[in-house]
């Protein structure tokens, strides 16, 4: 095996004249941001959250499910009530999301 960055590619026999093609990892595109650079957490989709933070689909879905069950977030601190969101993830969300998109 050989390593490129953090991606591991399968083992191959390499001999003189062997052509190797390495595919680029998936590019992550941040979501559209509001007028002031923040996206409204109450309008965010699973992809918006997952693409920005790479939280994983399951945690991103948990945020949306919580919002669907309890209604729009009244304060950003409501996010810490969701299992899997601790102080570090909360701080990451605060950098890109707000309640109003401002």
């Amino acid at each position: 095996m050989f390593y490129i960055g953090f991606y591991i590619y399968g083992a191959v026999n390499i001999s003189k004249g062997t052509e190797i093609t390495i595919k680029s990892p998936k590019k992550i595109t941040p979501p559209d941001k509001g007028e002031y650079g923040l996206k409204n957490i109450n309008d965010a989709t699973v992809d918006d959250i997952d693409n920005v933070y790479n939280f994983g689909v399951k945690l991103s879905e948990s945020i949306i499910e919580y919002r669907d069950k309890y209604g729009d977030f009244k304060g950003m601190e409501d996010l810490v009530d969701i299992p899997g969101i601790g102080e570090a993830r909360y701080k990451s969300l605060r950098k890109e999301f707000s309640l109003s998109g401002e």
Side-chain angles (χ1 to χ4, degrees):
M1 293 207 158
F2 58 99
Y3 300 88
I4 298 178
F6 294 107
Y7 296 90
I8 301 173
Y9 294 87
V12 294
N13 289 328
I14 299 175
S15 59
K16 187 175 182 177
T18 301
E19 189 173 312
I20 300 172
T21 303
I22 300 173
K23 295 181 180 180
S24 298
K26 176 184 168 188
K27 290 189 177 192
I28 297 175
T29 305
D32 293 333
K33 294 182 182 179
E35 181 179 349
Y36 299 102
L38 298 176
K39 181 149 182 72
N40 187 332
I41 191 70
N42 289 317
D43 294 333
T45 66
V46 169
D47 287 337
D48 289 339
I49 298 166
D50 182 45
N51 284 343
V52 172
Y53 301 104
N54 201 22
F55 279 173
V57 174
K58 186 170 175 121
L59 183 57
S60 299
E61 286 174 344
S62 294
I63 293 170
I64 303 303
E65 288 169 7
Y66 183 94
R67 185 182 69 202
D68 290 345
K69 183 176 181 178
Y70 297 104
D72 284 353
F73 294 102
K74 306 295 185 260
M76 289 297 289
E77 60 278 355
D78 293 345
L79 291 164
V80 297
D81 293 335
I82 301 169
I85 297 185
E87 187 176 335
R89 285 188 170 146
Y90 170 72
K91 285 180 179 179
S92 294
L93 285 166
R94 290 284 309 184
K95 290 178 184 176
E96 297 290 331
F97 293 92
S98 71
L99 293 178
S100 63
E102 297 179 6

